[in-house]
Coordinates of all heavy atoms in Angstrom, one line a residue:
M256 N 180.5 74.8 52.2 CA 180.7 75.5 53.4 C 179.6 76.5 53.6 O 178.8 76.8 52.7 CB 182.0 76.3 53.3 CG 183.3 75.4 53.3 SD 184.7 76.4 53.7 CE 184.8 76.0 55.4
N257 N 179.5 77.0 54.8 CA 178.4 78.0 55.1 C 178.8 79.3 54.5 O 179.9 79.9 54.7 CB 178.2 78.1 56.6 CG 177.7 76.9 57.2 OD1 177.0 76.1 56.5 ND2 177.9 76.7 58.5
E258 N 177.8 79.9 53.8 CA 178.0 81.2 53.3 C 177.7 82.3 54.3 O 176.8 82.1 55.2 CB 177.1 81.5 52.1 CG 177.4 80.6 50.9 CD 176.5 80.9 49.7 OE1 175.9 82.0 49.7 OE2 176.3 80.0 48.9
P259 N 178.5 83.4 54.4 CA 178.2 84.4 55.4 C 176.8 85.1 55.1 O 176.4 85.2 53.9 CB 179.3 85.4 55.2 CG 179.9 85.2 53.8 CD 179.6 83.7 53.5
R260 N 176.1 85.4 56.1 CA 174.9 86.1 56.0 C 175.1 87.5 55.5 O 176.0 88.2 55.8 CB 174.1 86.1 57.3 CG 173.7 84.8 57.8 CD 172.7 84.9 58.9 NE 173.4 85.6 60.1 CZ 172.7 85.9 61.2 NH1 171.5 85.5 61.4 NH2 173.3 86.5 62.2
P261 N 174.2 88.0 54.6 CA 174.4 89.3 54.1 C 174.1 90.4 55.2 O 173.3 90.1 56.2 CB 173.3 89.5 53.0 CG 172.3 88.4 53.4 CD 173.0 87.3 54.0
F262 N 174.7 91.5 55.1 CA 174.6 92.5 56.1 C 173.2 93.2 55.9 O 172.9 93.6 54.8 CB 175.7 93.6 55.9 CG 175.6 94.7 56.9 CD1 175.9 94.6 58.2 CD2 175.2 96.0 56.4 CE1 175.8 95.6 59.1 CE2 175.1 97.0 57.3 CZ 175.4 96.9 58.6
I263 N 172.5 93.3 57.0 CA 171.1 93.9 57.0 C 171.3 95.2 57.8 O 171.6 95.2 59.0 CB 170.1 93.0 57.6 CG1 169.9 91.8 56.8 CG2 168.7 93.8 57.6 CD1 168.9 90.8 57.3
Q264 N 171.1 96.3 57.1 CA 171.2 97.6 57.7 C 170.0 98.1 58.5 O 168.9 97.8 58.1 CB 171.5 98.7 56.6 CG 171.8 100.1 57.1 CD 172.1 101.0 56.0 OE1 172.1 100.6 54.8 NE2 172.3 102.3 56.3
T265 N 170.2 98.7 59.6 CA 169.1 99.3 60.4 C 168.7 100.6 59.8 O 169.5 101.4 59.4 CB 169.6 99.5 61.9 OG1 170.0 98.3 62.4 CG2 168.4 100.1 62.7
N266 N 167.4 100.7 59.6 CA 166.8 101.9 59.0 C 167.2 103.1 59.9 O 166.9 103.1 61.1 CB 165.3 101.7 58.8 CG 164.7 102.8 57.9 OD1 164.9 104.0 58.2 ND2 164.1 102.4 56.9
R267 N 167.7 104.1 59.3 CA 168.1 105.3 60.0 C 166.9 106.1 60.5 O 167.0 106.8 61.5 CB 169.0 106.2 59.2 CG 170.4 105.5 58.9 CD 171.3 106.4 58.1 NE 172.5 105.7 57.9 CZ 173.5 106.1 57.1 NH1 173.3 107.3 56.5 NH2 174.6 105.5 57.0
M268 N 165.9 106.1 59.7 CA 164.7 106.9 60.1 C 164.0 106.2 61.4 O 163.5 106.9 62.2 CB 163.7 107.0 59.0 CG 164.0 108.0 58.0 SD 162.7 108.4 56.9 CE 162.8 107.0 55.8
S269 N 164.1 104.9 61.5 CA 163.6 104.3 62.7 C 164.4 104.6 63.9 O 163.8 104.8 65.0 CB 163.5 102.8 62.5 OG 164.8 102.2 62.4
V270 N 165.7 104.8 63.8 CA 166.5 105.2 64.9 C 166.2 106.6 65.2 O 166.1 107.0 66.4 CB 168.0 105.0 64.5 CG1 168.9 105.6 65.6 CG2 168.4 103.5 64.3
A271 N 166.1 107.5 64.2 CA 165.7 108.9 64.5 C 164.4 109.0 65.2 O 164.2 109.8 66.1 CB 165.7 109.7 63.2
S272 N 163.4 108.2 64.8 CA 162.1 108.2 65.4 C 162.2 107.8 66.9 O 161.6 108.4 67.8 CB 161.2 107.3 64.7 OG 159.9 107.2 65.3
L273 N 163.0 106.8 67.2 CA 163.2 106.3 68.5 C 163.9 107.3 69.4 O 163.5 107.6 70.5 CB 164.0 105.0 68.5 CG 164.2 104.3 69.9 CD1 162.9 103.9 70.5 CD2 165.1 103.1 69.7
V274 N 164.9 108.0 68.8 CA 165.6 109.0 69.6 C 164.7 110.2 69.9 O 164.7 110.7 71.0 CB 166.9 109.4 68.8 CG1 167.5 110.7 69.4 CG2 167.9 108.3 68.8
L275 N 164.0 110.6 68.9 CA 163.0 111.8 69.1 C 162.0 111.4 70.1 O 161.6 112.2 71.0 CB 162.3 112.2 67.8 CG 163.2 113.0 66.8 CD1 162.4 113.2 65.5 CD2 163.5 114.3 67.4
G276 N 161.5 110.2 70.1 CA 160.5 109.7 71.1 C 161.0 109.7 72.5 O 160.4 110.1 73.4
A277 N 162.3 109.2 72.6 CA 162.9 109.2 74.0 C 163.1 110.6 74.5 O 162.8 110.9 75.6 CB 164.2 108.4 73.9
C278 N 163.6 111.5 73.6 CA 163.9 112.9 74.0 C 162.6 113.6 74.3 O 162.5 114.4 75.3 CB 164.6 113.6 72.9 SG 166.3 113.1 72.7
S279 N 161.5 113.4 73.6 CA 160.3 114.1 73.8 C 159.6 113.6 75.1 O 159.0 114.3 75.8 CB 159.3 114.0 72.6 OG 159.0 112.6 72.4
L280 N 159.8 112.3 75.4 CA 159.2 111.8 76.6 C 159.9 112.3 77.8 O 159.3 112.6 78.9 CB 159.2 110.2 76.6 CG 158.3 109.5 77.6 CD1 156.9 109.9 77.3 CD2 158.5 108.0 77.5
V281 N 161.2 112.5 77.7 CA 162.0 113.1 78.8 C 161.6 114.5 79.0 O 161.5 115.0 80.1 CB 163.5 112.9 78.6 CG1 164.3 113.7 79.6 CG2 163.9 111.4 78.7
T282 N 161.4 115.3 77.9 CA 161.2 116.7 78.1 C 159.7 117.0 78.4 O 159.4 118.2 78.6 CB 161.6 117.5 76.8 OG1 160.8 116.9 75.7 CG2 163.0 117.4 76.5
V283 N 158.9 116.0 78.6 CA 157.5 116.3 79.0 C 157.5 116.9 80.4 O 156.7 117.8 80.7 CB 156.7 115.0 79.0 CG1 155.4 115.1 79.8 CG2 156.4 114.6 77.6
I284 N 158.4 116.5 81.2 CA 158.5 117.0 82.6 C 159.1 118.4 82.7 O 159.0 119.0 83.8 CB 159.2 116.0 83.5 CG1 160.7 115.9 83.1 CG2 158.5 114.7 83.6 CD1 161.5 115.1 84.0
I285 N 159.6 119.0 81.7 CA 160.2 120.3 81.7 C 159.2 121.3 81.1 O 159.0 121.3 79.9 CB 161.5 120.4 81.0 CG1 162.5 119.3 81.5 CG2 162.2 121.7 81.0 CD1 163.8 119.1 80.7
P286 N 158.6 122.2 81.9 CA 157.5 123.0 81.4 C 157.8 123.9 80.3 O 157.0 124.0 79.3 CB 157.1 123.8 82.7 CG 157.7 123.1 83.8 CD 158.9 122.3 83.3
F287 N 159.0 124.5 80.2 CA 159.2 125.5 79.2 C 159.7 124.8 77.9 O 159.8 125.5 76.8 CB 160.2 126.6 79.6 CG 161.6 126.0 80.0 CD1 162.6 125.9 79.1 CD2 161.8 125.7 81.3 CE1 163.8 125.4 79.4 CE2 163.0 125.2 81.7 CZ 164.0 125.0 80.7
L288 N 159.9 123.5 77.9 CA 160.3 122.8 76.7 C 159.1 122.0 76.1 O 159.2 121.4 75.1 CB 161.4 121.8 77.0 CG 162.8 122.4 77.3 CD1 163.8 121.3 77.5 CD2 163.2 123.3 76.1
N289 N 157.9 122.1 76.7 CA 156.8 121.4 76.2 C 156.4 121.8 74.8 O 155.9 121.0 74.1 CB 155.6 121.6 77.2 CG 155.7 120.7 78.4 OD1 156.5 119.8 78.4 ND2 154.9 121.0 79.4
I290 N 156.5 123.0 74.5 CA 156.1 123.5 73.1 C 157.0 122.8 72.1 O 156.5 122.6 70.9 CB 156.2 125.0 73.0 CG1 155.4 125.5 71.9 CG2 157.6 125.5 73.0 CD1 153.9 125.5 72.1
I291 N 158.2 122.4 72.4 CA 159.1 121.8 71.4 C 158.5 120.4 71.1 O 158.7 119.9 70.0 CB 160.5 121.7 71.9 CG1 161.1 123.1 72.1 CG2 161.4 120.9 71.1 CD1 162.4 123.2 72.7
I292 N 157.9 119.8 72.1 CA 157.3 118.4 71.9 C 156.2 118.4 70.8 O 156.1 117.5 70.1 CB 156.8 117.8 73.2 CG1 158.0 117.6 74.1 CG2 156.1 116.5 73.0 CD1 157.6 117.2 75.5
L293 N 155.5 119.6 70.7 CA 154.5 119.7 69.7 C 155.1 119.7 68.3 O 154.3 119.5 67.3 CB 153.6 120.9 69.9 CG 152.8 120.9 71.3 CD1 152.1 122.2 71.4 CD2 151.9 119.7 71.3
L294 N 156.4 119.9 68.2 CA 157.1 119.8 66.9 C 157.8 118.5 66.7 O 157.7 117.8 65.7 CB 158.1 120.9 66.7 CG 157.5 122.4 66.8 CD1 158.7 123.4 66.8 CD2 156.6 122.6 65.6
M295 N 158.4 118.0 67.8 CA 159.2 116.8 67.8 C 158.3 115.6 67.7 O 158.6 114.6 67.0 CB 160.1 116.6 69.0 CG 161.4 117.4 69.0 SD 162.5 116.9 70.3 CE 161.6 116.5 71.7
G296 N 157.2 115.6 68.4 CA 156.3 114.4 68.4 C 155.8 114.0 67.0 O 156.0 112.9 66.6
P297 N 155.1 115.0 66.3 CA 154.6 114.6 65.0 C 155.8 114.3 64.0 O 155.6 113.4 63.2 CB 153.9 115.9 64.5 CG 153.5 116.5 65.8 CD 154.6 116.2 66.8
L298 N 156.9 115.0 64.1 CA 158.0 114.7 63.3 C 158.5 113.2 63.5 O 158.8 112.5 62.6 CB 159.2 115.6 63.5 CG 160.4 115.4 62.7 CD1 160.2 115.5 61.2 CD2 161.5 116.3 63.1
G299 N 158.6 112.8 64.8 CA 159.0 111.5 65.1 C 158.1 110.4 64.6 O 158.4 109.4 64.2
M300 N 156.8 110.8 64.7 CA 155.7 109.8 64.2 C 155.8 109.6 62.7 O 155.7 108.5 62.2 CB 154.3 110.3 64.7 CG 154.1 110.0 66.1 SD 152.3 110.4 66.6 CE 152.4 112.1 66.9
V301 N 156.0 110.7 62.0 CA 156.1 110.7 60.5 C 157.3 109.8 60.2 O 157.3 109.0 59.3 CB 156.1 112.1 59.9 CG1 156.6 112.0 58.5 CG2 154.8 112.7 60.1
L302 N 158.5 110.1 60.8 CA 159.7 109.3 60.5 C 159.5 107.8 60.8 O 159.9 107.0 60.1 CB 160.9 109.9 61.4 CG 161.4 111.2 60.9 CD1 162.5 111.6 61.9 CD2 162.0 111.1 59.5
G303 N 158.8 107.5 61.9 CA 158.5 106.1 62.2 C 157.6 105.5 61.2 O 157.9 104.3 60.8
F304 N 156.6 106.2 60.7 CA 155.7 105.6 59.7 C 156.4 105.4 58.4 O 156.3 104.4 57.7 CB 154.5 106.5 59.5 CG 153.4 106.3 60.6 CD1 153.0 107.5 61.3 CD2 152.9 105.1 60.9 CE1 152.1 107.4 62.3 CE2 152.0 105.0 61.9 CZ 151.6 106.1 62.6
L305 N 157.3 106.4 58.0 CA 158.1 106.2 56.8 C 159.1 105.1 56.9 O 159.2 104.3 55.9 CB 158.8 107.5 56.5 CG 157.9 108.7 56.0 CD1 158.8 110.0 55.9 CD2 157.2 108.4 54.7
A306 N 159.7 105.0 58.1 CA 160.6 103.9 58.3 C 159.9 102.5 58.2 O 160.4 101.6 57.6 CB 161.3 104.0 59.6
T307 N 158.8 102.4 58.8 CA 158.0 101.2 58.7 C 157.7 100.8 57.3 O 157.8 99.6 56.9 CB 156.7 101.3 59.6 OG1 157.1 101.7 60.9 CG2 155.9 100.0 59.6
R308 N 157.3 101.8 56.5 CA 156.9 101.5 55.1 C 158.2 101.0 54.3 O 158.1 100.1 53.5 CB 156.3 102.8 54.5 CG 155.7 102.5 53.1 CD 154.9 103.6 52.6 NE 155.7 104.8 52.4 CZ 155.3 105.9 51.9 NH1 154.0 106.0 51.6 NH2 156.0 106.9 51.7
Q309 N 159.3 101.7 54.6 CA 160.5 101.3 53.9 C 161.0 99.9 54.3 O 161.4 99.1 53.4 CB 161.7 102.3 54.2 CG 161.6 103.6 53.4 CD 162.7 104.5 53.7 OE1 163.6 104.2 54.6 NE2 162.8 105.6 53.1
I310 N 160.8 99.6 55.6 CA 161.2 98.3 56.0 C 160.3 97.2 55.5 O 160.8 96.1 55.1 CB 161.2 98.2 57.6 CG1 162.4 99.1 58.1 CG2 161.4 96.8 58.1 CD1 162.3 99.4 59.6
K311 N 159.0 97.5 55.4 CA 158.1 96.5 54.8 C 158.4 96.3 53.3 O 158.2 95.2 52.8 CB 156.7 96.9 55.0 CG 156.2 96.7 56.4 CD 154.7 97.0 56.5 CE 154.3 96.8 58.0 NZ 152.9 97.2 58.1
R312 N 158.8 97.3 52.6 CA 159.1 97.2 51.2 C 160.4 96.4 50.9 O 160.5 95.8 49.9 CB 159.2 98.6 50.5 CG 157.8 99.2 50.3 CD 158.0 100.5 49.6 NE 156.7 101.1 49.4 CZ 156.5 102.3 49.0 NH1 157.5 103.0 48.6 NH2 155.3 102.8 48.9
N313 N 161.4 96.6 51.8 CA 162.7 95.9 51.6 C 163.1 95.1 52.9 O 164.0 95.5 53.6 CB 163.8 97.0 51.4 CG 163.4 97.9 50.2 OD1 163.1 97.4 49.2 ND2 163.6 99.2 50.4
P314 N 162.4 94.0 53.2 CA 162.7 93.3 54.4 C 164.0 92.6 54.4 O 164.6 92.3 55.5 CB 161.5 92.3 54.6 CG 161.0 92.1 53.2 CD 161.3 93.4 52.5
D315 N 164.5 92.3 53.2 CA 165.8 91.6 53.1 C 167.0 92.5 53.3 O 168.1 92.1 53.5 CB 165.9 90.9 51.8 CG 164.9 89.8 51.6 OD1 164.4 89.3 52.6 OD2 164.5 89.5 50.4
E316 N 166.8 93.8 53.1 CA 167.9 94.8 53.2 C 167.8 95.7 54.4 O 168.9 96.2 54.8 CB 167.8 95.7 52.0 CG 167.9 95.0 50.6 CD 167.7 95.9 49.5 OE1 167.6 97.2 49.7 OE2 167.5 95.4 48.3
M317 N 166.7 95.8 55.1 CA 166.5 96.7 56.2 C 165.9 96.0 57.4 O 165.1 95.1 57.3 CB 165.7 97.9 55.9 CG 166.3 98.8 54.9 SD 165.3 100.3 54.7 CE 166.1 101.1 53.4
K318 N 166.3 96.5 58.6 CA 165.6 96.1 59.8 C 165.4 97.3 60.7 O 165.8 98.4 60.3 CB 166.5 95.0 60.6 CG 167.9 95.6 61.0 CD 168.6 94.5 61.7 CE 170.0 95.1 62.2 NZ 170.8 94.1 62.9
G319 N 164.7 97.1 61.8 CA 164.4 98.2 62.7 C 163.0 98.5 62.8 O 162.6 99.6 63.2
G320 N 162.1 97.5 62.5 CA 160.7 97.7 62.6 C 160.2 98.0 64.1 O 159.4 98.8 64.3
W321 N 160.8 97.3 65.0 CA 160.5 97.5 66.4 C 160.9 98.9 66.9 O 160.3 99.5 67.7 CB 161.1 96.4 67.3 CG 160.4 95.1 67.2 CD1 160.8 94.0 66.5 CD2 159.1 94.8 67.7 NE1 159.9 93.0 66.5 CE2 158.8 93.5 67.3 CE3 158.1 95.5 68.4 CZ2 157.6 92.9 67.6 CZ3 157.0 94.9 68.7 CH2 156.7 93.6 68.3
Q322 N 162.1 99.3 66.4 CA 162.5 100.7 66.8 C 161.5 101.7 66.2 O 161.2 102.7 66.9 CB 163.9 101.0 66.2 CG 165.0 100.1 66.9 CD 166.3 100.3 66.2 OE1 166.4 100.7 65.0 NE2 167.4 99.9 66.9
A323 N 161.1 101.5 65.0 CA 160.1 102.5 64.4 C 158.8 102.5 65.2 O 158.3 103.6 65.5 CB 159.9 102.1 63.0
L324 N 158.3 101.3 65.5 CA 157.1 101.2 66.3 C 157.2 101.8 67.7 O 156.3 102.6 68.1 CB 156.6 99.7 66.4 CG 155.3 99.5 67.2 CD1 154.2 100.1 66.4 CD2 155.1 98.0 67.3
T325 N 158.3 101.6 68.3 CA 158.6 102.2 69.7 C 158.7 103.7 69.6 O 158.1 104.4 70.4 CB 159.8 101.6 70.3 OG1 159.7 100.2 70.3 CG2 160.0 102.1 71.7
G326 N 159.3 104.2 68.5 CA 159.4 105.6 68.3 C 158.1 106.2 68.1 O 157.7 107.3 68.6
I327 N 157.2 105.6 67.3 CA 155.9 106.1 67.0 C 155.1 106.2 68.3 O 154.4 107.2 68.6 CB 155.1 105.2 66.0 CG1 155.8 105.3 64.6 CG2 153.6 105.5 66.0 CD1 155.3 104.3 63.6
L328 N 155.1 105.1 69.1 CA 154.4 105.1 70.4 C 154.9 106.1 71.4 O 154.1 106.8 72.1 CB 154.4 103.7 71.0 CG 153.7 102.6 70.2 CD1 153.9 101.2 70.8 CD2 152.2 103.0 70.1
L329 N 156.2 106.2 71.5 CA 156.8 107.2 72.5 C 156.4 108.6 72.1 O 156.0 109.5 72.9 CB 158.3 107.1 72.6 CG 158.8 105.9 73.3 CD1 160.3 105.8 73.2 CD2 158.4 105.8 74.7
N330 N 156.5 108.9 70.8 CA 156.1 110.3 70.3 C 154.6 110.5 70.5 O 154.2 111.6 70.8 CB 156.5 110.4 68.8 CG 158.0 110.6 68.6 OD1 158.5 111.6 69.2 ND2 158.6 109.8 67.9
L331 N 153.8 109.5 70.2 CA 152.4 109.7 70.4 C 152.0 109.9 71.9 O 151.3 110.9 72.2 CB 151.6 108.4 69.9 CG 150.1 108.4 70.0 CD1 149.5 109.5 69.1 CD2 149.6 107.1 69.7
V332 N 152.6 109.2 72.8 CA 152.3 109.3 74.2 C 152.8 110.7 74.7 O 152.0 111.4 75.4 CB 153.0 108.2 75.0 CG1 153.0 108.5 76.5 CG2 152.3 106.9 74.8
S333 N 154.0 111.1 74.3 CA 154.5 112.4 74.8 C 153.6 113.6 74.2 O 153.3 114.5 74.9 CB 155.9 112.6 74.4 OG 156.1 112.6 73.0
T334 N 153.2 113.5 72.9 CA 152.4 114.5 72.3 C 151.0 114.6 73.0 O 150.5 115.7 73.3 CB 152.2 114.3 70.8 OG1 153.5 114.2 70.2 CG2 151.4 115.4 70.2
L335 N 150.4 113.4 73.3 CA 149.2 113.4 74.0 C 149.3 114.0 75.4 O 148.3 114.6 75.9 CB 148.6 112.0 74.0 CG 148.1 111.5 72.6 CD1 147.6 110.1 72.7 CD2 147.0 112.4 72.0
L336 N 150.4 113.7 76.1 CA 150.6 114.2 77.4 C 150.6 115.7 77.4 O 150.0 116.4 78.3 CB 151.8 113.6 78.1 CG 151.7 112.2 78.6 CD1 153.1 111.7 79.1 CD2 150.7 112.2 79.8
V337 N 151.4 116.3 76.5 CA 151.5 117.7 76.4 C 150.2 118.4 76.0 O 149.8 119.4 76.6 CB 152.6 118.1 75.4 CG1 152.6 119.6 75.1 CG2 154.0 117.7 75.9
V338 N 149.5 117.8 75.1 CA 148.1 118.3 74.7 C 147.2 118.3 75.9 O 146.4 119.2 76.2 CB 147.6 117.6 73.5 CG1 146.1 117.9 73.3 CG2 148.4 117.9 72.3
A339 N 147.2 117.2 76.7 CA 146.4 117.0 77.8 C 146.8 118.1 78.9 O 145.9 118.6 79.6 CB 146.5 115.6 78.4
M340 N 148.1 118.3 79.1 CA 148.5 119.3 80.1 C 148.0 120.7 79.7 O 147.5 121.4 80.6 CB 150.0 119.2 80.3 CG 150.5 118.1 81.1 SD 152.2 118.3 81.6 CE 153.0 117.4 80.3
Y341 N 148.2 121.0 78.5 CA 147.8 122.3 78.0 C 146.2 122.5 78.1 O 145.7 123.5 78.5 CB 148.2 122.6 76.6 CG 149.7 123.1 76.5 CD1 150.6 122.5 75.6 CD2 150.1 124.1 77.3 CE1 151.9 122.9 75.6 CE2 151.4 124.6 77.3 CZ 152.3 124.0 76.4 OH 153.6 124.4 76.3
G342 N 145.5 121.4 77.8 CA 144.1 121.4 77.9 C 143.6 121.6 79.4 O 142.7 122.3 79.6
F343 N 144.3 120.9 80.3 CA 144.0 121.0 81.7 C 144.3 122.4 82.2 O 143.5 123.0 82.9 CB 144.8 120.0 82.5 CG 144.5 120.0 84.0 CD1 143.4 119.5 84.4 CD2 145.5 120.6 84.9 CE1 143.1 119.6 85.8 CE2 145.2 120.6 86.2 CZ 144.0 120.1 86.7
V344 N 145.4 123.0 81.8 CA 145.7 124.4 82.2 C 144.7 125.4 81.6 O 144.2 126.3 82.3 CB 147.1 124.8 81.7 CG1 147.4 126.3 81.8 CG2 148.2 124.0 82.5
L345 N 144.3 125.2 80.4 CA 143.3 126.1 79.8 C 141.9 125.9 80.4 O 141.1 126.9 80.5 CB 143.2 125.8 78.3 CG 144.4 126.3 77.4 CD1 144.2 125.9 76.0 CD2 144.5 127.8 77.6
M346 N 141.6 124.7 80.9 CA 140.3 124.5 81.6 C 140.3 125.2 82.9 O 139.3 125.7 83.4 CB 140.0 123.1 81.8 CG 139.5 122.4 80.6 SD 139.1 120.6 80.7 CE 138.9 120.3 82.4
M347 N 141.5 125.4 83.6 CA 141.6 126.0 84.9 C 141.5 127.5 84.8 O 141.2 128.2 85.8 CB 142.9 125.6 85.6 CG 142.9 124.1 85.9 SD 141.5 123.6 86.7 CE 142.1 123.1 88.3
I348 N 141.7 128.1 83.6 CA 141.7 129.5 83.5 C 140.3 130.0 83.4 O 139.4 129.5 83.0 CB 142.5 130.0 82.3 CG1 144.0 129.6 82.5 CG2 142.3 131.4 82.0 CD1 144.9 130.0 81.3

């Protein structure tokens, strides 16, 4: 008979990276919350990189590589947008 497939757990850090990326991308448009993105963005990128490394080490036990990659990219884009906005504002002064 067919044996059931083993349960593969989604990496929690990849989910956290994706959530932080989505939240930071949404808060880019809120001016007084932009400073929080400078903390959330790098934290989300670090979590995404750590999750990617864990998933590569244990591919039979963990999944979530696309979530980690998406989280890294969303956090990177939002951080770069905030840095560009602050740079633009400082150039105008």
